[in-house]
Amino acid sequence: LARYYRPYRMRMEEQVRACLAAGERVVHLSSHTFTPVLNGVVRNADVGLPSDPPRRRERAFCERWGELLAQRIAPLRVRRNYPYRGYDDGLTTGLRRLYPAERYIGIEIEVNQRHALGPRPAWRRLREAIVETALEMVAQTRDGGRDPWGGSVHN
């Protein structure tokens, strides 16, 4: 906790606070993995996109991102709010309590560890697809001044 988590969390909180103070909106993406089997139950997803359901922009972001990922790598099983709910305790949940939905989107993408432990070429392809589609999603907020998942862009 002292060596990795707390410094990371403090740095992320500082960066989000600074961006918002400068009038920017923040799309905060955090990457995690999950075990393929938990307590004897097989988890039936390749990628999970937890969001806070009442936060309409986050929900729409995850819906669209999931579609892009599934199109890029088929057959990829992408589920929203899986294997955890987007409002479970975590860094993004804590930041959501501080910042309004129209200024802050926090997504903790979850990837099944079977991919990270599987064949290297497939794992590389999945990582590339995640990064490329994430960049596409963020870029959509800048194109034409319209936020395709919830309102006008004000930068």
Side-chain angles (χ1 to χ4, degrees):
L1 287 174
R3 185 172 180 185
Y4 297 107
Y5 180 72
R6 287 187 188 114
Y8 163 76
R9 184 171 180 135
M10 288 174 49
R11 180 71 176 137
M12 290 301 97
E13 289 173 353
E14 290 169 6
Q15 287 186 324
V16 169
R17 185 173 33 255
C19 288
L20 292 173
E24 299 291 328
R25 290 185 324 178
V26 173
V27 177
H28 173 202
L29 305 177
S30 183
S31 173
H32 304 260
T33 63
F34 64 91
T35 182
V37 179
L38 182 65
N39 298 325
V41 177
V42 175
R43 291 166 146 181
N44 61 357
D46 298 304
V47 174
L49 294 172
S51 66
D52 190 0
R55 293 174 75 103
R56 182 178 53 87
R57 296 179 72 244
E58 277 186 11
R59 187 178 66 241
F61 186 99
C62 286
E63 288 171 2
R64 180 66 183 130
W65 194 10
E67 291 169 2
L68 286 175
L69 277 170
Q71 290 169 7
R72 190 72 48 101
I73 299 180
L76 189 71
R77 294 170 298 168
V78 180
R79 292 186 59 186
R80 285 191 18 257
N81 279 321
Y82 190 87
Y84 311 106
R85 296 173 303 223
Y87 49 85
D88 286 343
D89 188 35
L91 175 57
T92 56
T93 301
L95 291 171
R96 285 186 200 115
R97 289 185 200 115
L98 299 174
Y99 303 115
E102 62 275 1
R103 303 277 319 281
Y104 175 81
I105 290 178
I107 309 296
E108 294 183 344
I109 184 170
E110 300 281 347
V111 179
N112 193 315
Q113 290 172 359
R114 72 179 182 83
H115 293 287
L117 301 173
R120 289 254 185 246
W123 175 226
R124 184 179 317 108
R125 198 169 103 237
L126 178 56
R127 288 191 329 255
E128 289 170 355
I130 289 169
V131 170
E132 289 167 2
T133 55
L135 290 172
E136 286 177 39
M137 290 298 300
V138 172
Q140 287 178 15
T141 65
R142 297 185 178 132
D143 295 341
R146 179 86 183 137
D147 177 351
W149 14 276
S152 296
V153 174
H154 303 285
N155 288 330

